[in-house]
Amino acid sequence: MTQLPSTFRSQIERSGSEPGNPAPATASSPNADAADIVDPGWVSLASGGIEVPAGWHAWLASRDSLTERLIEAAGAGHFRVRLLAEAKGLPWPDEAHVLGLASDEQAWLREVALCVDEEPWVVARSVAPIVERHDAPFEGLGETSLGSWLFRQPDLERSAIQIGRNTRPIHGYAGLWQRRSVFRHSGWVLLVQESFMPAMGRALSLSASATG
Ligand SMILES: C=C(O[C@@H]1C=C(C(=O)O)C=C[C@H]1O)C(=O)O
């Protein structure tokens, strides 16, 4: 198992403290009371509770590898994964809730930017419960995409997709659209959240408005 960067917690804390983003009080405070819990407002994509323009809907609803789709959409652009942070840390309350973790239970956390020509198109945050004798599902991946490994796993299950607008930024990056789903495999569970950046919308001419 690799050594954990000691800077990770402060990066996580800073990521919620960017201008315009509320400080993530509960992320570092296991005893925060319920009133402090950030509710990022996730809704099921299938419910239609949030109206999504058709161009974005295709991206949010896709269930195969987002990495592969981005590489294809980037065309001649250079795709790469930039590792922003990876270590053990305290998940946000809504993440802990989804994964059935106690509010003071640590998990493996990984944050990356999926970039085209160095411009982040998607910023992702993955959370995996710590299972005794198992490394994190993303252990050792570094700047290799999680998707390139994930979708090769046999018996992979993926939950329904939830989406949100104005959900909590990831590593200070506030996207236009966010989605999350849980991947399961015999050995592990993994919550993957992806935030789609305005730069991607501009590059692919995806409408920013809910009716476009
Ligand atoms: C889950 C996938 O992997 C992508 C890559 C990630 C990473 O490397 O951490 C995280 C989330 C995804 O956007 C995918 O390609 O669908």
Side-chain angles (χ1 to χ4, degrees):
M1 202 171 284
T2 52
Q3 280 297 67
L4 303 169
S6 59
T7 52
F8 191 65
R9 169 54 64 78
S10 64
Q11 285 173 322
I12 292 295
E13 286 174 352
R14 243 188 311 125
S15 77
S17 311
E18 301 280 321
N21 301 331
T26 51
S28 57
S29 173
N31 297 321
D33 56 41
D36 290 334
I37 290 180
V38 180
D39 174 10
W42 297 104
V43 302
S44 145
L45 175 66
S47 74
I50 298 180
E51 206 180 331
V52 185
W56 279 111
H57 192 278
W59 285 95
L60 296 175
S62 68
R63 297 182 64 83
D64 50 6
S65 173
L66 183 64
T67 305
E68 292 303 317
R69 284 178 180 255
L70 289 172
I71 291 169
E72 203 181 316
H78 176 253
F79 174 87
R80 83 164 179 113
V81 175
R82 178 149 39 102
L83 184 61
L84 302 174
E86 189 178 294
K88 267 183 199 165
L90 205 56
W92 289 85
D94 63 290
E95 296 170 335
H97 180 74
V98 164
L99 293 167
L101 298 174
S103 60
D104 59 350
E105 212 172 325
Q106 293 215 330
W108 294 110
L109 307 173
R110 169 175 161 96
E111 294 177 340
V112 301
L114 307 178
C115 303
V116 175
D117 292 335
E118 298 305 320
E119 183 80 59
W121 277 21
V122 173
V123 180
R125 172 174 159 101
S126 302
V127 185
I130 296 166
V131 182
E132 222 180 311
R133 290 188 299 279
H134 278 281
D135 287 337
F138 39 72
E139 177 75 19
L141 273 182
E143 298 204 323
T144 300
S145 167
L146 178 61
S148 67
W149 171 84
L150 194 60
F151 289 93
R152 288 205 309 268
Q153 302 310 301
D155 308 324
L156 182 68
E157 288 176 21
R158 184 174 199 170
S159 73
I161 290 173
Q162 292 182 321
I163 64 165
R165 290 208 84 167
N166 308 315
T167 57
R168 188 182 42 250
I170 299 174
H171 210 92
Y173 289 93
L176 284 177
W177 294 96
Q178 292 79 28
R179 69 172 191 170
R180 70 178 186 180
S181 61
V182 176
F183 290 90
R184 284 174 205 282
H185 183 264
S186 50
W188 44 259
V189 178
L190 180 65
L191 170 66
V192 175
Q193 302 160 95
E194 292 152 334
S195 189
F196 294 77
M197 296 294 122
M200 174 178 165
R202 284 193 298 273
L204 302 180
S205 303
L206 301 171
S207 170
S209 84
T211 51

